[in-house]
Amino acid sequence: MSDGFRIPALAAATAAVVLGGLVGVPAAQAALASQRFAARQGVFGADPAKSVGALLGVSATSGANAWAVGNQCVSSCGTSGAVANTLILHWNGHRWSRAASPDPSASADYLTGVSATTVANAWAVGDECVSACGTSGQIFRTLILHWNGHRWSRVASPDPGAAADYLRSVSSTSAANAWAVGQYCASGCGTEASVIRTLVLHWNGHRWSRVASPAPSGISSVLHSVTTASVRAAWAAGDYVRGGVYRTLILRWNGHRWSRVASPSPDSAFNLLGGVTAASSRRAWAVGTDCTSAECGSVVQDTLILRWNGHRWSRATSPNPGPNVDTLSGVSATSARNAWAVGELCGNFSCSSPTTLVLHWNGRRWSRS
């Protein structure tokens, strides 16, 4: 499965610093670029009867069992001191209803990914603010919830970072195999000198533990999405920053270790991957957005789709129907001839009035649906 993603305040600030250093890309535009490319955590609804808030992940096992997760603002919405709770909805084949879910933090609990394998097994991941919430010194920790067929409960999860640990996506194949990915702050947390590294956790049926994952040298290496085919095969996708340029990052699990696989970063400034999916060992897709220095400066972003053919990743031709900004944040494939990618198109980086974007792969080309 593949989920959308949300860049936390820490990562957004880092993105602003890096992109702000590019020729022709003002810092203000850079901040907006990094924030709006992420799924919006600020689209809250105070009344669940009118608006369910921000939903950032979905997973289904059948026509009668599906979960959607995200967060909902409960007070001080639209401010740095907003109080947010976890939001979990369930589909029973007839209607969506809200499920009770833990909110360990008194200030902010976010869910960004979900993966279900049966009616009695599902995982939801995200993060919670544990102190100094809403300030530059805020501390976030990983948050993992489990569904056992009766209720959602919190499960202990590692937090390697000094002040910031985030989970963005989760994927499972059974009650004894699940992966969760994200990032953590290794040093300089809360400052422009913050160093962010990839975070990969594994569930073995008994506990969550951290697994070593490659993190290219630079100021930031993050993972936004993970997909699991079996206990011996998984992909994770994200980005890293080196020399003031955002570059694509793809990792592969072979049953023994995670290793980096070469992936294209076709543009000179901004190459980000928000979703990844695998239809088979020879067919996988990763999606996101990119732009050159000149394009970023003139508020233009294009869809970015990468394809795995069993040997290497290459860029696939993809539509850009929007006037200025076209981004993809999620992808799912069922076969070599059927895949869907979703995102949005906008007139500018602030994206005050986004329009949904859906692309389909028919085995020959990607087209807007």
Side-chain angles (χ1 to χ4, degrees):
M1 66 158 297
S2 173
D3 298 301
F5 56 97
R6 173 178 61 84
I7 297 179
L10 177 64
T14 301
V17 173
V18 174
L19 285 176
L22 293 171
V23 176
V25 186
Q29 285 187 1
L32 288 171
S34 61
Q35 291 166 0
R36 68 139 308 279
F37 180 58
R40 288 172 186 73
Q41 68 186 62
V43 185
F44 293 121
D47 183 355
K50 296 179 181 179
S51 173
V52 296
L55 294 173
L56 304 180
V58 64
S59 180
T61 63
S62 70
N65 183 55
W67 294 98
V69 306
N71 49 76
Q72 181 179 10
C73 183
V74 294
S75 67
S76 302
C77 305
T79 72
S80 60
V83 176
N85 287 342
T86 59
L87 176 61
I88 300 182
L89 305 183
H90 183 251
W91 173 258
N92 64 2
H94 302 284
R95 68 186 182 92
W96 286 97
S97 60
R98 184 168 186 174
S101 56
D103 288 297
S105 171
S107 297
D109 298 280
Y110 299 110
L111 294 176
T112 52
V114 62
S115 180
T117 59
T118 68
V119 294
N121 183 60
W123 292 99
V125 304
D127 45 76
E128 60 162 330
C129 182
V130 296
S131 68
C133 305
T135 72
S136 60
Q138 62 188 358
I139 296 178
F140 273 83
R141 295 305 186 201
T142 59
L143 175 61
I144 299 183
L145 307 182
H146 183 251
W147 172 257
N148 64 1
H150 303 285
R151 68 187 182 95
W152 286 93
S153 59
R154 185 175 188 178
V155 178
S157 54
D159 291 297
D165 302 88
Y166 303 97
L167 292 175
R168 294 290 158 259
S169 177
V170 61
S171 182
S172 58
T173 59
S174 70
N177 183 54
W179 291 98
V181 303
Q183 71 258 22
Y184 72 96
C185 179
S187 64
C189 307
T191 72
E192 293 184 357
S194 60
V195 176
I196 302 171
R197 292 290 179 254
T198 58
L199 176 60
V200 176
L201 305 183
H202 183 250
W203 172 259
N204 64 0
H206 302 286
R207 67 186 182 94
W208 285 94
S209 59
R210 184 182 174 192
V211 178
S213 58
S217 61
I219 66 170
S220 174
S221 301
V222 305
L223 296 172
H224 296 303
S225 183
V226 62
T227 184
T228 309
S230 69
V231 294
R232 295 183 178 181
W235 291 99
D239 55 81
Y240 70 101
V241 183
R242 180 183 293 166
V245 178
Y246 269 76
R247 307 170 192 270
T248 63
L249 175 61
I250 297 182
L251 307 183
R252 187 182 192 182
W253 172 255
N254 64 1
H256 302 285
R257 66 186 182 94
W258 286 93
S259 58
R260 184 180 170 192
V261 180
S263 57
S265 294
D267 277 347
S268 62
F270 206 54
N271 304 269
L272 284 80
L273 296 175
V276 64
T277 186
S280 69
S281 60
R282 292 191 173 187
R283 295 289 182 270
W285 297 97
V287 303
T289 188
D290 67 349
C291 61
T292 65
S293 298
E295 287 174 334
C296 291
S298 59
V299 294
V300 175
Q301 281 181 264
D302 295 327
T303 58
L304 174 60
I305 299 182
L306 304 184
R307 182 183 188 182
W308 172 257
N309 64 1
H311 302 285
R312 66 185 184 93
W313 286 93
S314 59
R315 184 171 192 173
T317 302
S318 56
N320 290 289
N324 291 96
V325 177
D326 300 88
T327 69
L328 297 171
S329 57
V331 62
S332 181
T334 60
S335 70
R337 296 184 178 181
N338 184 58
W340 294 93
V342 298
E344 63 191 19
L345 55 90
C346 314
N348 51 59
F349 276 149
S350 60
C351 206
S352 56
S353 300
T355 300
T356 58
L357 175 60
V358 178
L359 303 183
H360 182 251
W361 171 259
N362 63 2
R364 297 182 301 276
R365 66 187 183 93
W366 286 94
S367 59
R368 186 179 184 186
S369 179

mmCIF file of all heavy atoms in Angstrom, residues 36 40 301-303 319-328 342-359 368-369:
data_model
loop_
_atom_site.group_PDB
_atom_site.id
_atom_site.type_symbol
_atom_site.label_atom_id
_atom_site.label_comp_id
_atom_site.label_asym_id
_atom_site.label_seq_id
_atom_site.Cartn_x
_atom_site.Cartn_y
_atom_site.Cartn_z
ATOM 1 N N ARG A 36 3.185 22.793 1.260
ATOM 2 C CA ARG A 36 2.013 22.438 0.488
ATOM 3 C C ARG A 36 2.185 21.116 -0.252
ATOM 4 O O ARG A 36 1.204 20.459 -0.575
ATOM 5 C CB ARG A 36 1.653 23.538 -0.513
ATOM 6 C CG ARG A 36 2.638 23.712 -1.640
ATOM 7 C CD ARG A 36 1.923 23.948 -2.949
ATOM 8 N NE ARG A 36 0.929 22.925 -3.163
ATOM 9 C CZ ARG A 36 1.194 21.714 -3.637
ATOM 10 N NH1 ARG A 36 2.419 21.350 -3.879
ATOM 11 N NH2 ARG A 36 0.240 20.844 -3.820
ATOM 12 N N ARG A 40 -1.985 18.233 3.887
ATOM 13 C CA ARG A 40 -2.191 19.345 4.805
ATOM 14 C C ARG A 40 -2.728 18.910 6.153
ATOM 15 O O ARG A 40 -3.853 18.468 6.256
ATOM 16 C CB ARG A 40 -3.130 20.354 4.182
ATOM 17 C CG ARG A 40 -2.482 21.106 3.059
ATOM 18 C CD ARG A 40 -3.519 21.961 2.359
ATOM 19 N NE ARG A 40 -2.935 22.559 1.205
ATOM 20 C CZ ARG A 40 -2.647 21.890 0.108
ATOM 21 N NH1 ARG A 40 -2.930 20.630 0.033
ATOM 22 N NH2 ARG A 40 -2.093 22.477 -0.921
ATOM 23 N N GLN A 301 5.717 23.277 -10.561
ATOM 24 C CA GLN A 301 6.138 21.930 -10.193
ATOM 25 C C GLN A 301 5.424 20.932 -11.093
ATOM 26 O O GLN A 301 4.269 21.151 -11.499
ATOM 27 C CB GLN A 301 5.796 21.618 -8.729
ATOM 28 C CG GLN A 301 6.770 22.217 -7.725
ATOM 29 C CD GLN A 301 6.393 21.854 -6.305
ATOM 30 O OE1 GLN A 301 5.737 22.623 -5.614
ATOM 31 N NE2 GLN A 301 6.815 20.685 -5.866
ATOM 32 N N ASP A 302 6.117 19.840 -11.403
ATOM 33 C CA ASP A 302 5.554 18.818 -12.286
ATOM 34 C C ASP A 302 5.413 17.485 -11.566
ATOM 35 O O ASP A 302 6.103 17.219 -10.576
ATOM 36 C CB ASP A 302 6.463 18.614 -13.507
ATOM 37 C CG ASP A 302 6.544 19.847 -14.385
ATOM 38 O OD1 ASP A 302 5.533 20.575 -14.468
ATOM 39 O OD2 ASP A 302 7.619 20.087 -14.969
ATOM 40 N N THR A 303 4.529 16.641 -12.084
ATOM 41 C CA THR A 303 4.425 15.286 -11.556
ATOM 42 C C THR A 303 5.713 14.529 -11.848
ATOM 43 O O THR A 303 6.349 14.737 -12.877
ATOM 44 C CB THR A 303 3.240 14.534 -12.187
ATOM 45 O OG1 THR A 303 3.412 14.505 -13.619
ATOM 46 C CG2 THR A 303 1.917 15.205 -11.851
ATOM 47 N N PRO A 319 1.414 13.072 -17.181
ATOM 48 C CA PRO A 319 0.699 14.311 -17.504
ATOM 49 C C PRO A 319 0.904 15.390 -16.448
ATOM 50 O O PRO A 319 1.125 15.091 -15.271
ATOM 51 C CB PRO A 319 -0.771 13.870 -17.530
ATOM 52 C CG PRO A 319 -0.741 12.382 -17.644
ATOM 53 C CD PRO A 319 0.511 11.947 -16.944
ATOM 54 N N ASN A 320 0.807 16.646 -16.877
ATOM 55 C CA ASN A 320 0.838 17.808 -15.988
ATOM 56 C C ASN A 320 -0.278 18.763 -16.418
ATOM 57 O O ASN A 320 -0.030 19.765 -17.088
ATOM 58 C CB ASN A 320 2.199 18.507 -16.053
ATOM 59 C CG ASN A 320 3.284 17.690 -15.415
ATOM 60 O OD1 ASN A 320 3.338 17.525 -14.203
ATOM 61 N ND2 ASN A 320 4.149 17.132 -16.248
ATOM 62 N N PRO A 321 -1.510 18.460 -16.029
ATOM 63 C CA PRO A 321 -2.650 19.255 -16.508
ATOM 64 C C PRO A 321 -2.837 20.586 -15.802
ATOM 65 O O PRO A 321 -3.566 21.453 -16.274
ATOM 66 C CB PRO A 321 -3.842 18.336 -16.233
ATOM 67 C CG PRO A 321 -3.407 17.519 -15.061
ATOM 68 C CD PRO A 321 -1.937 17.295 -15.254
ATOM 69 N N GLY A 322 -2.183 20.784 -14.637
ATOM 70 C CA GLY A 322 -2.387 22.012 -13.869
ATOM 71 C C GLY A 322 -1.725 23.222 -14.482
ATOM 72 O O GLY A 322 -0.773 23.111 -15.256
ATOM 73 N N PRO A 323 -2.186 24.425 -14.111
ATOM 74 C CA PRO A 323 -1.604 25.659 -14.644
ATOM 75 C C PRO A 323 -0.192 25.920 -14.144
ATOM 76 O O PRO A 323 0.619 26.505 -14.854
ATOM 77 C CB PRO A 323 -2.576 26.741 -14.149
ATOM 78 C CG PRO A 323 -3.195 26.134 -12.920
ATOM 79 C CD PRO A 323 -3.317 24.674 -13.214
ATOM 80 N N ASN A 324 0.115 25.493 -12.919
ATOM 81 C CA ASN A 324 1.441 25.738 -12.365
ATOM 82 C C ASN A 324 2.006 24.564 -11.575
ATOM 83 O O ASN A 324 3.146 24.172 -11.782
ATOM 84 C CB ASN A 324 1.422 26.979 -11.455
ATOM 85 C CG ASN A 324 1.225 28.262 -12.213
ATOM 86 O OD1 ASN A 324 0.103 28.747 -12.325
ATOM 87 N ND2 ASN A 324 2.295 28.801 -12.759
ATOM 88 N N VAL A 325 1.220 24.043 -10.655
ATOM 89 C CA VAL A 325 1.729 23.036 -9.733
ATOM 90 C C VAL A 325 0.966 21.722 -9.870
ATOM 91 O O VAL A 325 -0.252 21.680 -9.708
ATOM 92 C CB VAL A 325 1.635 23.537 -8.272
ATOM 93 C CG1 VAL A 325 2.106 22.455 -7.311
ATOM 94 C CG2 VAL A 325 2.463 24.802 -8.090
ATOM 95 N N ASP A 326 1.670 20.659 -10.190
ATOM 96 C CA ASP A 326 1.098 19.312 -10.278
ATOM 97 C C ASP A 326 1.924 18.396 -9.380
ATOM 98 O O ASP A 326 3.134 18.265 -9.573
ATOM 99 C CB ASP A 326 1.158 18.777 -11.713
ATOM 100 C CG ASP A 326 0.390 19.642 -12.695
ATOM 101 O OD1 ASP A 326 0.991 20.599 -13.225
ATOM 102 O OD2 ASP A 326 -0.781 19.356 -12.925
ATOM 103 N N THR A 327 1.302 17.770 -8.396
ATOM 104 C CA THR A 327 2.028 16.908 -7.480
ATOM 105 C C THR A 327 1.296 15.584 -7.292
ATOM 106 O O THR A 327 0.068 15.515 -7.410
ATOM 107 C CB THR A 327 2.199 17.552 -6.089
ATOM 108 O OG1 THR A 327 0.920 17.622 -5.444
ATOM 109 C CG2 THR A 327 2.779 18.939 -6.206
ATOM 110 N N LEU A 328 2.055 14.530 -7.002
ATOM 111 C CA LEU A 328 1.500 13.216 -6.699
ATOM 112 C C LEU A 328 2.013 12.777 -5.340
ATOM 113 O O LEU A 328 3.200 12.929 -5.048
ATOM 114 C CB LEU A 328 1.908 12.197 -7.773
ATOM 115 C CG LEU A 328 1.403 12.476 -9.184
ATOM 116 C CD1 LEU A 328 2.048 11.524 -10.182
ATOM 117 C CD2 LEU A 328 -0.123 12.361 -9.243
ATOM 118 N N VAL A 342 -2.388 9.439 -7.260
ATOM 119 C CA VAL A 342 -3.257 10.549 -6.875
ATOM 120 C C VAL A 342 -2.447 11.707 -6.302
ATOM 121 O O VAL A 342 -1.357 11.518 -5.767
ATOM 122 C CB VAL A 342 -4.319 10.104 -5.851
ATOM 123 C CG1 VAL A 342 -5.221 9.035 -6.437
ATOM 124 C CG2 VAL A 342 -3.662 9.591 -4.570
ATOM 125 N N GLY A 343 -3.010 12.896 -6.395
ATOM 126 C CA GLY A 343 -2.374 14.090 -5.866
ATOM 127 C C GLY A 343 -3.267 15.284 -6.078
ATOM 128 O O GLY A 343 -4.488 15.190 -5.906
ATOM 129 N N GLU A 344 -2.670 16.396 -6.508
ATOM 130 C CA GLU A 344 -3.459 17.608 -6.710
ATOM 131 C C GLU A 344 -2.763 18.537 -7.687
ATOM 132 O O GLU A 344 -1.561 18.422 -7.945
ATOM 133 C CB GLU A 344 -3.669 18.332 -5.384
ATOM 134 C CG GLU A 344 -2.372 18.816 -4.741
ATOM 135 C CD GLU A 344 -2.565 19.292 -3.324
ATOM 136 O OE1 GLU A 344 -3.574 18.934 -2.699
ATOM 137 O OE2 GLU A 344 -1.695 20.037 -2.851
ATOM 138 N N LEU A 345 -3.546 19.447 -8.234
ATOM 139 C CA LEU A 345 -2.988 20.499 -9.082
ATOM 140 C C LEU A 345 -3.470 21.840 -8.557
ATOM 141 O O LEU A 345 -4.560 21.965 -8.009
ATOM 142 C CB LEU A 345 -3.379 20.289 -10.549
ATOM 143 C CG LEU A 345 -4.865 20.159 -10.913
ATOM 144 C CD1 LEU A 345 -5.461 21.530 -11.223
ATOM 145 C CD2 LEU A 345 -5.030 19.252 -12.111
ATOM 146 N N CYS A 346 -2.601 22.848 -8.688
ATOM 147 C CA CYS A 346 -2.868 24.162 -8.113
ATOM 148 C C CYS A 346 -2.333 25.259 -9.024
ATOM 149 O O CYS A 346 -1.533 25.003 -9.924
ATOM 150 C CB CYS A 346 -2.199 24.304 -6.748
ATOM 151 S SG CYS A 346 -2.421 22.908 -5.641
ATOM 152 N N GLY A 347 -2.748 26.474 -8.719
ATOM 153 C CA GLY A 347 -2.276 27.611 -9.497
ATOM 154 C C GLY A 347 -1.017 28.219 -8.939
ATOM 155 O O GLY A 347 -0.319 28.963 -9.624
ATOM 156 N N ASN A 348 -0.678 27.904 -7.650
ATOM 157 C CA ASN A 348 0.519 28.450 -7.034
ATOM 158 C C ASN A 348 0.925 27.575 -5.857
ATOM 159 O O ASN A 348 0.217 26.644 -5.481
ATOM 160 C CB ASN A 348 0.294 29.898 -6.579
ATOM 161 C CG ASN A 348 -0.965 30.018 -5.726
ATOM 162 O OD1 ASN A 348 -1.085 29.368 -4.690
ATOM 163 N ND2 ASN A 348 -1.903 30.836 -6.170
ATOM 164 N N PHE A 349 2.089 27.890 -5.236
ATOM 165 C CA PHE A 349 2.604 27.076 -4.146
ATOM 166 C C PHE A 349 1.702 27.106 -2.914
ATOM 167 O O PHE A 349 1.596 26.131 -2.187
ATOM 168 C CB PHE A 349 4.007 27.535 -3.740
ATOM 169 C CG PHE A 349 5.088 26.933 -4.590
ATOM 170 C CD1 PHE A 349 6.257 27.631 -4.847
ATOM 171 C CD2 PHE A 349 4.938 25.676 -5.131
ATOM 172 C CE1 PHE A 349 7.265 27.081 -5.621
ATOM 173 C CE2 PHE A 349 5.940 25.115 -5.910
ATOM 174 C CZ PHE A 349 7.095 25.819 -6.158
ATOM 175 N N SER A 350 1.066 28.235 -2.632
ATOM 176 C CA SER A 350 0.211 28.319 -1.453
ATOM 177 C C SER A 350 -1.014 27.433 -1.606
ATOM 178 O O SER A 350 -1.572 26.960 -0.629
ATOM 179 C CB SER A 350 -0.215 29.764 -1.188
ATOM 180 O OG SER A 350 -0.944 30.271 -2.294
ATOM 181 N N CYS A 351 -1.439 27.214 -2.842
ATOM 182 C CA CYS A 351 -2.477 26.233 -3.161
ATOM 183 C C CYS A 351 -3.718 26.427 -2.307
ATOM 184 O O CYS A 351 -4.161 25.512 -1.610
ATOM 185 C CB CYS A 351 -1.925 24.834 -2.986
ATOM 186 S SG CYS A 351 -2.757 23.599 -4.011
ATOM 187 N N SER A 352 -4.299 27.624 -2.326
ATOM 188 C CA SER A 352 -5.482 27.903 -1.521
ATOM 189 C C SER A 352 -6.721 27.201 -2.060
ATOM 190 O O SER A 352 -7.666 26.957 -1.314
ATOM 191 C CB SER A 352 -5.728 29.414 -1.458
ATOM 192 O OG SER A 352 -5.846 29.956 -2.768
ATOM 193 N N SER A 353 -6.725 26.854 -3.349
ATOM 194 C CA SER A 353 -7.873 26.171 -3.938
ATOM 195 C C SER A 353 -7.398 24.991 -4.777
ATOM 196 O O SER A 353 -7.428 25.022 -6.017
ATOM 197 C CB SER A 353 -8.686 27.144 -4.809
ATOM 198 O OG SER A 353 -9.166 28.233 -4.048
ATOM 199 N N PRO A 354 -6.948 23.916 -4.128
ATOM 200 C CA PRO A 354 -6.428 22.765 -4.868
ATOM 201 C C PRO A 354 -7.519 21.982 -5.580
ATOM 202 O O PRO A 354 -8.680 21.991 -5.175
ATOM 203 C CB PRO A 354 -5.777 21.922 -3.772
ATOM 204 C CG PRO A 354 -6.591 22.229 -2.554
ATOM 205 C CD PRO A 354 -6.915 23.697 -2.669
ATOM 206 N N THR A 355 -7.125 21.323 -6.652
ATOM 207 C CA THR A 355 -8.026 20.441 -7.391
ATOM 208 C C THR A 355 -7.438 19.030 -7.380
ATOM 209 O O THR A 355 -6.235 18.853 -7.546
ATOM 210 C CB THR A 355 -8.164 20.909 -8.860
ATOM 211 O OG1 THR A 355 -8.695 22.239 -8.872
ATOM 212 C CG2 THR A 355 -9.084 19.983 -9.654
ATOM 213 N N THR A 356 -8.281 18.037 -7.159
ATOM 214 C CA THR A 356 -7.785 16.664 -7.111
ATOM 215 C C THR A 356 -7.207 16.258 -8.463
ATOM 216 O O THR A 356 -7.677 16.678 -9.520
ATOM 217 C CB THR A 356 -8.908 15.690 -6.736
ATOM 218 O OG1 THR A 356 -9.979 15.799 -7.682
ATOM 219 C CG2 THR A 356 -9.436 15.978 -5.344
ATOM 220 N N LEU A 357 -6.177 15.416 -8.401
ATOM 221 C CA LEU A 357 -5.531 14.914 -9.599
ATOM 222 C C LEU A 357 -5.429 13.392 -9.505
ATOM 223 O O LEU A 357 -4.886 12.861 -8.532
ATOM 224 C CB LEU A 357 -4.132 15.517 -9.740
ATOM 225 C CG LEU A 357 -3.271 15.001 -10.900
ATOM 226 C CD1 LEU A 357 -3.949 15.260 -12.239
ATOM 227 C CD2 LEU A 357 -1.882 15.647 -10.854
ATOM 228 N N VAL A 358 -5.978 12.697 -10.490
ATOM 229 C CA VAL A 358 -5.928 11.236 -10.532
ATOM 230 C C VAL A 358 -5.369 10.799 -11.883
ATOM 231 O O VAL A 358 -5.874 11.215 -12.935
ATOM 232 C CB VAL A 358 -7.328 10.618 -10.336
ATOM 233 C CG1 VAL A 358 -7.253 9.092 -10.437
ATOM 234 C CG2 VAL A 358 -7.913 11.027 -8.987
ATOM 235 N N LEU A 359 -4.317 9.995 -11.848
ATOM 236 C CA LEU A 359 -3.719 9.458 -13.072
ATOM 237 C C LEU A 359 -3.853 7.939 -13.074
ATOM 238 O O LEU A 359 -3.821 7.294 -12.020
ATOM 239 C CB LEU A 359 -2.236 9.835 -13.150
ATOM 240 C CG LEU A 359 -1.872 11.321 -13.084
ATOM 241 C CD1 LEU A 359 -0.368 11.494 -13.254
ATOM 242 C CD2 LEU A 359 -2.631 12.130 -14.121
ATOM 243 N N ARG A 368 -4.638 11.196 -17.425
ATOM 244 C CA ARG A 368 -5.501 11.744 -16.378
ATOM 245 C C ARG A 368 -6.856 11.042 -16.418
ATOM 246 O O ARG A 368 -7.414 10.814 -17.491
ATOM 247 C CB ARG A 368 -5.672 13.246 -16.556
ATOM 248 C CG ARG A 368 -6.440 13.887 -15.393
ATOM 249 C CD ARG A 368 -6.566 15.373 -15.578
ATOM 250 N NE ARG A 368 -7.218 15.978 -14.422
ATOM 251 C CZ ARG A 368 -7.567 17.257 -14.331
ATOM 252 N NH1 ARG A 368 -7.287 18.076 -15.345
ATOM 253 N NH2 ARG A 368 -8.172 17.717 -13.261
ATOM 254 N N SER A 369 -7.359 10.736 -15.248
ATOM 255 C CA SER A 369 -8.655 10.060 -15.153
ATOM 256 C C SER A 369 -9.688 10.955 -14.506
ATOM 257 O O SER A 369 -9.335 11.793 -13.667
ATOM 258 C CB SER A 369 -8.496 8.769 -14.349
ATOM 259 O OG SER A 369 -9.709 8.103 -14.219
#
